[in-house]
Amino acid sequence: MTNRCRGCDRPGAVRVVDLGALPQADFFPPAGTPPGVPESPHLLAMNLCPACGLAQLAEDDTVPDEPRGVEPLALQLQAADAVRTVADAGRLRGDTVLEFGSPHGGTWLPMLDEHGLHSVVDGPADVVLDCFGIMHEPDQRAAFARRAEAVADDGVLLLQFHSLLAILGGEQWNALRHGHFAYYSLTALRYLLADAGLHIDAAWQFDLYGGTVLVAAGRERPSREDATVARILADERAAGVCDPQVVRRLHDAADRQTGGLRRSLESAASAGTRVYAYGAASRAVALFARAGIDSGLVAGVADASPLKQGRRMPGTDVPIVDPPALLGADPDVVLLTLPDLLPELRERFPELEGRWVLLGNEPLGTLSVRNGRHPGVMRP
């Protein structure tokens, strides 16, 4: 354990969130095997650096075991929107692109090829791309240096991240997970990029995950600050994203939300309401474990990934099933662990209309069935 910052390497990082020992977020044991103590010895905590402002995973003794999921339609649509946006802004100049990928999958390369950019495996490249990849790097300072080194002298780094401002505003405490080593504000990102010799000259915001930001950075310092960059930085100052007391509210949100969810599910079980969930996502692991959810409260979690089906949620006996099994079970309520999936799932499974309950866009302690067959059964 160390209090040195992963980004600027200075000592003094402050503990702001401590969720205790929880299961590894990407290890899904076979269904039918009993949950055991070895599944939950992994500390999950967040530090905040007072020097550069980087929120970061305090420590991680897990070994990545990422079962590849199916890329959601929402992520594909957002990627296409982002490519159009940066192309319209004239940021896709040159003819080479180097992509630093994410272990979650997904790539922009086919779309960038349509704009005349061909992929290379080594820099320097005219466009260097990182979409949700750099957060998986334990040594953040070295990761930023590698990306900066890959950028051609007149090239651009396009880097997209889930905004800490959105995480705080939406009380998305379960965005904290093993394997995700950094949680960026634009304030911290600007510092880390400058330390690597790059300067942000444009930014765009998207609704994905409740709020993501895409920045363009190059070697030349801009003569004046981009209006969107200035607005985001002002919003972050007003929200206090670098204030440990503000970020600590995520811990309070975790206690409040998991307690409320547990009470809601117990009430639903007492009323005979059959509850399933959709999305065996990494952020659902901490949620299920901290709320003490078992198959008596949530009978199963449906997921489109064949690599997760036939397994169970870590630290619980809740099985992961395929979508046809969810439809066959005909549940009264389906908890959606990733709200961005809702438009896609409503179109794909019209028979479940009115049974979805969103987890993530609202306090989990105030769940309610929207237009459900049992109105209000999930109210604590």
Side-chain angles (χ1 to χ4, degrees):
M1 182 182 299
T2 177
N3 69 344
R4 297 196 75 88
C5 176
R6 297 180 184 275
C8 68
D9 198 36
R10 295 179 182 175
V14 178
R15 183 65 48 87
V16 287
V17 179
D18 189 342
L19 300 179
L22 290 172
Q24 182 173 332
D26 56 10
F27 175 69
F28 295 86
T33 59
V37 172
E39 290 176 39
S40 303
H42 307 290
L43 175 69
L44 186 58
M46 175 186 284
N47 286 349
L48 184 69
C49 177
C52 69
L54 180 66
Q56 56 204 270
L57 193 63
E59 61 180 77
D60 190 355
D61 63 353
T62 67
V63 178
D65 185 36
E66 192 89 40
R68 184 58 58 89
V70 175
E71 187 179 20
L73 178 61
L75 196 57
Q76 298 175 39
L77 294 175
Q78 192 279 325
D81 187 16
V83 170
R84 285 192 299 270
T85 298
V86 295
D88 290 345
R91 302 290 174 166
L92 299 182
R93 298 185 293 268
D95 57 10
T96 58
V97 57
L98 172 60
E99 183 178 52
F100 286 84
S102 164
H104 299 304
T107 177
W108 293 13
L109 292 179
M111 292 180 289
L112 294 178
D113 182 70
E114 296 175 3
H115 289 272
L117 294 166
H118 65 272
S119 176
V120 296
V121 295
D122 293 305
D126 299 308
V127 175
V128 175
L129 171 66
D130 188 305
C131 180
F132 308 123
I134 197 169
M135 68 170 63
H136 298 89
E137 300 271 8
D139 188 338
Q140 286 286 296
R141 193 176 194 187
F144 278 95
R146 285 194 298 273
R147 285 150 179 80
E149 290 168 1
V151 178
D153 288 343
D154 57 351
V156 63
L157 170 66
L158 297 174
L159 191 149
Q160 185 164 19
F161 61 97
H162 186 193
S163 166
L164 179 61
L165 182 64
I167 291 172
L168 293 174
E171 296 188 327
Q172 299 176 41
W173 63 270
N174 55 344
L176 179 64
R177 55 149 286 185
H178 301 114
H180 286 184
F181 292 94
Y183 306 84
Y184 307 101
S185 61
L186 190 60
T187 302
L189 189 72
R190 183 174 63 166
Y191 181 103
L192 297 173
L193 285 170
D195 187 52
L198 297 178
H199 305 281
I200 297 173
D201 58 17
W204 303 271
Q205 292 177 287
F206 301 91
D207 292 335
L208 187 70
Y209 303 146
T212 61
V213 177
L214 172 65
V215 300
R219 300 196 182 282
E220 184 177 348
R221 189 184 300 271
S223 57
R224 62 179 181 178
E225 194 166 56
D226 174 77
T228 301
V229 171
R231 177 172 49 78
I232 295 173
L233 291 173
D235 289 345
E236 290 182 347
R237 286 192 297 271
V241 297
C242 295
D243 183 343
Q245 294 301 325
V246 171
V247 183
R248 282 193 179 103
R249 296 172 189 167
L250 288 176
H251 189 109
D252 298 333
D255 291 342
R256 184 177 68 256
Q257 292 176 5
T258 53
L261 177 60
R262 173 78 190 193
R263 290 189 295 273
S264 295
L265 290 172
E266 289 176 339
S267 177
S270 297
T273 302
R274 290 171 297 114
V275 179
Y276 272 70
Y278 193 102
S282 60
R283 66 177 53 197
V285 172
L287 175 67
F288 274 48
R290 283 196 109 238
I293 294 174
D294 57 28
S295 57
L297 297 177
V298 176
V301 179
D303 197 278
S305 172
L307 296 180
K308 293 182 180 179
Q309 295 161 9
R311 297 181 176 272
R312 60 175 171 79
M313 296 298 291
T316 82
D317 66 344
V318 180
I320 302 173
V321 302
D322 59 21
L326 172 68
L327 296 178
D330 192 29
D332 299 312
V333 171
V334 184
L335 308 180
L336 182 54
T337 64
L338 293 172
D340 295 283
L341 296 178
L342 184 58
E344 175 183 357
L345 295 178
R346 292 182 70 179
E347 182 175 348
R348 184 179 174 191
F349 305 119
E351 52 269 76
L352 294 177
E353 184 65 27
R355 309 187 210 179
W356 299 105
V357 171
L358 304 186
L359 305 186
N361 277 357
E362 61 186 45
L364 301 185
T366 57
L367 294 176
S368 61
V369 178
R370 294 176 176 79
N371 303 316
R373 297 185 297 177
H374 299 274
V377 297
M378 293 295 289
R379 292 190 184 277

